[in-house]
Amino acid sequence: MSKKVIALLKKHGPMLSGKLARIFENEYGVSNMAARQALSRAKSPVNKICTLSFEKNQKFFYLENQFMSQQYVDRLLEDIKENSQINWIYICAFQAQYGYVSKNILPALVSSPVKNVKGHKLHERVLDDLIKCHIIEDYDDTRWKLSDWVSDTLQNLSRSTGIEVVKKQIVNDFASWAGNINLVGYGSSKTIFESAEFANFQWAFTAPSYVQPLYNMEAQKNGFVVADVFYGRTATLEDIQFFINKISI
C-alpha cells in the first residue's frame, strides 16, 4: 500500500489527506475507507504534518524529498488558506505587519482564545504548532517573526514597529473618546499592550459600560465594550476576519 501512496504523491505532489484519499480511491478502484486505511499505514518516505489543524481532521501528506520544495511550500500555504482558517489568520496578522509581531499583542490580532473556550484551540497551542512547523520563529525576547519562506511581502522590522506604535495611539485615542462621552467607565479601559481580555479572548480594547442597553437594569450588571484595530492599508474581509470570529464566538 505504501508504494501506491508514494506513486500518487510523486505524480500529483503534496496534498491534504482528503484529496489524496479520493485520488487513491479513483486510481485503484477501492472504497474511501480502504483508501484512508492505506494512507494511515503508509510509511517512510511518506510523511505527514499532524500538528496543524485542518478541516475534517485532515493531514498534509508529502514525500521526504519534496520537503521545502517550491511545490511543497505552495501547496501547504494554499491548503492552510483554504482549509485551516485558524492558522491562516496568524499568517495574515504577520503579513499585515511586515513579518513581525510583538509577543504580548499577538493574541489580540488573532481569533484563538487565551483561556479555555469549549470547542476552540488555545492561542498557545496554535502558536506552538506553527513554531513546530517553522511557520513562525522566535525573533527575540519581545517579538515573533514570520519565516521567510512563508511571507509574500517584504519583511521590515522598522515598519512593523511603526505600525504597532500607530495602533497603540489609535486605541488610546479611542479609549479617551469612549471615556469622555461616558460610553465606558472613565479610566476603566484596558488597551492593546495591557492584555485587554474579555470572554477569554484578548482584544485591542476592553472596558465596562454602564449605558443602556449595554447595562442590564434587571440584573444591575454592566456590559462591556470591545474593539480591535487594523492599520497600514485599506482593510479587506480577510484582514478583519479575526475580529469577526471573536465576535461570532
Side-chain angles (χ1 to χ4, degrees):
M1 285 298 185
S2 286
K3 290 181 179 179
K4 292 181 177 180
V5 177
I6 293 169
L8 292 180
L9 290 172
K10 282 182 178 179
K11 181 179 179 180
H12 300 283
M15 68 184 78
L16 286 178
S17 55
K19 182 178 180 180
L20 183 56
R22 288 192 297 272
I23 294 175
F24 192 103
E25 182 181 354
N26 294 331
E27 292 262 349
Y28 300 115
V30 300
S31 67
N32 186 260
M33 180 176 291
R36 292 183 179 278
Q37 287 177 345
L39 298 189
S40 67
R41 294 169 183 167
K43 298 179 181 179
S44 181
V46 177
N47 284 338
K48 57 186 175 182
I49 296 177
C50 298
T51 51
L52 293 180
S53 298
F54 289 98
E55 292 177 1
K56 300 179 181 178
N57 293 318
Q58 296 183 88
K59 312 300 180 186
F60 185 79
F61 275 74
Y62 64 95
L63 297 176
E64 289 176 0
N65 62 6
Q66 293 171 336
F67 181 68
M68 292 309 294
S69 66
Q70 192 59 53
Q71 186 184 45
Y72 170 94
V73 169
D74 291 344
R75 288 279 181 85
L76 178 58
L77 293 180
E78 179 184 336
D79 285 334
I80 291 174
K81 182 177 182 179
E82 294 180 1
N83 298 281
S84 184
Q85 188 182 84
I86 185 175
N87 291 302
W88 184 247
I89 283 176
Y90 279 74
I91 294 174
C92 290
F94 280 85
Q95 290 179 336
Q97 287 204 175
Y98 294 92
Y100 299 84
V101 177
S102 291
K103 291 181 178 180
N104 59 347
I105 74 165
L106 179 58
L109 306 183
V110 296
S111 54
S112 299
V114 293
K115 294 179 181 176
N116 289 330
V117 174
K118 187 176 181 179
H120 296 277
K121 200 170 182 178
L122 281 170
H123 164 69
E124 286 186 1
R125 287 186 58 201
V126 178
L127 182 61
D128 187 51
D129 289 347
L130 290 167
I131 292 171
K132 287 178 180 176
C133 291
H134 307 288
I135 293 173
I136 293 174
E137 302 172 1
D138 193 349
Y139 179 72
D140 60 23
D141 291 340
T142 62
R143 292 181 181 86
W144 298 113
K145 178 183 181 294
L146 189 65
S147 296
D148 292 336
W149 66 270
V150 181
S151 181
D152 63 356
T153 58
L154 181 65
Q155 308 260 32
N156 191 308
L157 178 57
S158 296
R159 289 193 176 187
S160 175
T161 302
I163 285 176
E164 290 187 357
V165 170
V166 176
K167 283 182 176 180
K168 183 177 181 180
Q169 187 61 53
I170 291 171
V171 175
N172 286 342
D173 288 346
F174 177 80
S176 296
W177 170 81
N180 288 335
I181 67 169
N182 294 322
L183 175 63
V184 300
Y186 191 81
S188 62
S189 61
K190 289 188 177 180
T191 58
I192 190 166
F193 281 92
E194 300 172 329
S195 298
E197 187 182 318
F198 176 75
N200 292 345
F201 290 91
Q202 191 165 314
W203 310 76
F205 172 90
T206 63
S209 178
Y210 302 89
V211 299
Q212 292 187 13
L214 297 182
Y215 185 80
N216 188 326
M217 295 292 290
E218 184 174 333
Q220 293 188 336
K221 187 176 180 181
N222 64 276
F224 265 84
V225 173
V226 297
D228 278 325
V229 60
F230 182 85
Y231 176 82
R233 62 172 185 257
T234 301
T236 64
L237 178 60
E238 185 176 69
D239 290 326
I240 62 171
Q241 191 65 52
F242 74 102
F243 175 74
I244 295 171
N245 288 356
K246 287 192 287 188
I247 291 294
S248 297
I249 296 166

